[in-house]
Amino acid sequence: MFELLTTDPHSAARRGRLHTRHGIVETPIFMPVGTQGTVKSVHPDELRALNAQIILGNTYHLFIRPGMDVMRTMGGLHQFATWDRPILTDSGGFQVFSLSGLRKITEEGVTFQSHLDGSTLFLGPETAMEAQHTIGSDIAMIFDECPHYPCEEDYAARSLDRTLRWAQRCKDFTQGLPDATRPQVFGIVQGSTFTQLRERSARSLVEIGFDGYAIGGVSVGEPEPEMMRAIEESVPFLPADKPRYAMGLGTPPQLVKMVARGVDMFDCVLPTRVARNGTAYTRHGMLNLKNAAFATDPRPISPDTPQQCQPFSRAYIRHLLKANEILGLRLLTLHNLHFYLELMREMREHLEAGTFREFHDEFLRTYPSTAEVADE
């Protein structure tokens, strides 16, 4: 169940509350990505300390390793990973999209080769939903095809038709699951960059009826204006009383822009990925702590870095990174996740206070447009 608590009078931004079997999720929310059953390098207790409300797992990766037999025997991902809060799982459609040279798409589903050992595997609407049920997902995504960018309108239309047929099959399968373990199911709006296809996708999914709706097929190589247009051409056709999820996005300014466009939920690998490259997010942009300028810098990463990172100087973290010590990337990962989660908390507070417009304008005005800044 989703409660719409307040809306911003100057934009489409919303403050909501999503109820799941494993707890309440306050929206807008960012979901740390735990693709293979773990948020890379982070202990579940650390995620809880950062106030992570929900994490994301990936059906494709868990389907391949450790496999559904292990997942079933171990009682699902919550028990396996000792995570007692909600889990959303991607159906695997995006990962199958990325295996374009190793897959065959038919009406039944997708036959593909494992990226681990080359073995032949199959995922379709029913197998993807069954796998997510075995994983114990609180929120399961439908199995869809994510068209490449750019693509011809004819291909995007045929792909969308198939995805909509798969969406109905996904719903039909989950309707037969026991009430106590049935996940909430989100539909995924596709349609590439074509306005009429996005509208048709959204309207058709709403007609089928899902617990929430995602905007997919974004962040697949298209320019940011195209990404924002896909959001703008999907959200107006989605019901106000259901959560909206932009899949695989994005940078801090993109999150602020998309909240203003009416999106409630986000996931992205950026906070953890750039941490492994030595980069930290701050309110003044991105810091590459491998730079020589930080070799003797005694300050913490930023004034609002989380408690776990506060005792450590930029100089020390740079030393760890240059020495390839795991603690360095762990500290940056914790910092970046904290930054993203705090950004969402701030937006929730401003929506409650009626000051979201001022926050939105100030954040976008002051956050650097360049990918990196040398110092604060």
Side-chain angles (χ1 to χ4, degrees):
M1 183 184 73
F2 180 72
E3 296 178 74
L4 183 59
L5 301 178
T6 188
T7 55
D8 175 46
H10 306 291
S11 70
R14 300 127 56 89
R15 170 79 173 88
R17 184 171 291 144
L18 176 61
H19 296 256
T20 79
R21 288 197 311 270
H22 283 91
I24 292 173
V25 178
E26 304 288 349
T27 67
I29 189 62
F30 176 79
M31 300 179 285
V33 176
T35 301
Q36 301 193 79
T38 177
V39 178
K40 289 187 186 300
S41 82
V42 182
H43 192 286
D45 286 345
E46 292 173 320
L47 287 173
R48 284 184 276 265
L50 293 174
N51 295 316
Q53 301 178 53
I54 178 173
I55 61 172
L56 180 141
N58 183 265
T59 302
Y60 167 85
H61 287 281
L62 296 172
F63 184 78
I64 291 177
R65 181 175 57 191
M68 292 300 103
D69 288 342
V70 171
M71 193 62 63
R72 192 175 297 108
T73 300
M74 299 307 296
L77 187 56
H78 287 92
Q79 184 170 327
F80 195 39
T82 67
W83 178 253
D84 57 356
R85 295 182 182 183
I87 295 174
L88 179 148
T89 47
D90 186 350
S91 67
F94 182 80
Q95 280 65 38
V96 170
F97 151 80
S98 69
L99 298 171
S100 56
L102 304 171
R103 70 181 187 191
K104 180 181 179 181
I105 303 174
T106 67
E107 185 64 27
E108 287 307 304
V110 182
T111 303
F112 59 96
Q113 289 179 262
S114 165
H115 71 285
L116 293 179
D117 59 13
S119 60
T120 300
L121 300 168
F122 175 83
L123 272 176
E126 292 80 12
T127 51
M129 302 314 288
E130 182 179 23
Q132 292 180 87
H133 181 242
T134 300
I135 290 167
S137 309
D138 296 281
I139 301 170
M141 306 305 298
I142 66 163
F143 189 70
D144 64 329
E145 182 190 356
C146 179
H148 57 277
Y149 173 87
C151 72
E152 299 292 332
E153 184 172 4
D154 179 63
Y155 181 85
R158 286 185 283 112
S159 170
L160 174 57
D161 289 340
R162 181 167 50 232
T163 285
L164 291 173
R165 292 192 294 271
W166 286 355
Q168 184 66 62
R169 286 167 56 187
C170 288
K171 180 173 182 180
D172 291 345
F173 180 86
T174 53
Q175 289 297 103
L177 296 173
D179 290 347
T181 57
R182 182 190 303 128
Q184 297 185 45
V185 180
F186 282 21
I188 304 175
V189 178
Q190 291 289 356
S192 187
T193 58
F194 303 101
T195 301
Q196 67 277 15
L197 295 183
R198 286 281 174 183
E199 178 179 347
R200 179 160 70 86
S201 178
R203 290 186 182 278
S204 298
L205 291 170
V206 172
E207 186 174 343
I208 294 171
F210 289 98
D211 300 298
Y213 299 88
I215 297 100
V218 288
S219 193
V220 292
E222 78 280 13
E224 184 176 300
E226 290 284 357
M227 178 195 302
M228 291 299 168
R229 190 164 65 85
I231 301 292
E232 293 164 357
E233 292 173 349
S234 303
V235 166
F237 305 105
L238 300 177
D241 62 347
K242 302 290 184 181
R244 303 162 181 164
Y245 165 30
M247 303 183 74
L249 300 173
T251 66
Q254 287 171 352
L255 297 185
V256 174
K257 292 175 184 178
M258 284 185 287
V259 166
R261 287 161 171 79
V263 180
D264 308 300
M265 303 170 66
F266 306 90
D267 78 281
C268 189
V269 297
L270 279 177
T272 51
R273 178 175 291 170
V274 305
R276 296 194 298 275
N277 295 325
T279 301
Y281 285 100
T282 78
R283 291 302 282 265
H284 302 284
M286 300 171 75
L287 299 179
N288 184 348
L289 290 178
K290 290 184 177 180
N291 285 349
F294 302 115
T296 58
D297 193 329
R299 294 173 294 172
I301 300 171
S302 70
D304 56 354
T305 199
Q307 183 177 2
Q308 301 97 315
C309 304
Q310 285 174 4
F312 302 105
S313 67
R314 296 175 178 184
Y316 179 64
I317 295 173
R318 179 182 183 273
H319 159 69
L320 295 174
L321 296 168
K322 299 297 283 187
N324 293 319
E325 287 289 344
I326 293 172
L327 181 59
L329 68 86
R330 274 187 28 80
L331 291 171
L332 284 184
T333 297
L334 290 168
H335 170 87
N336 285 348
L337 288 173
H338 173 79
F339 179 87
Y340 266 62
L341 292 166
E342 282 296 292
L343 177 60
M344 306 311 290
R345 182 191 60 76
E346 283 188 74
M347 285 193 276
R348 293 194 299 269
E349 288 187 352
H350 282 286
L351 283 165
E352 291 169 358
T355 54
F356 176 77
R357 181 178 185 178
E358 292 82 355
F359 170 83
H360 169 278
D361 293 349
E362 178 69 10
F363 186 90
L364 296 182
R365 184 184 66 81
T366 58
Y367 196 89
S369 58
T370 54
E372 182 179 312
V373 294
D375 202 353
E376 291 182 79

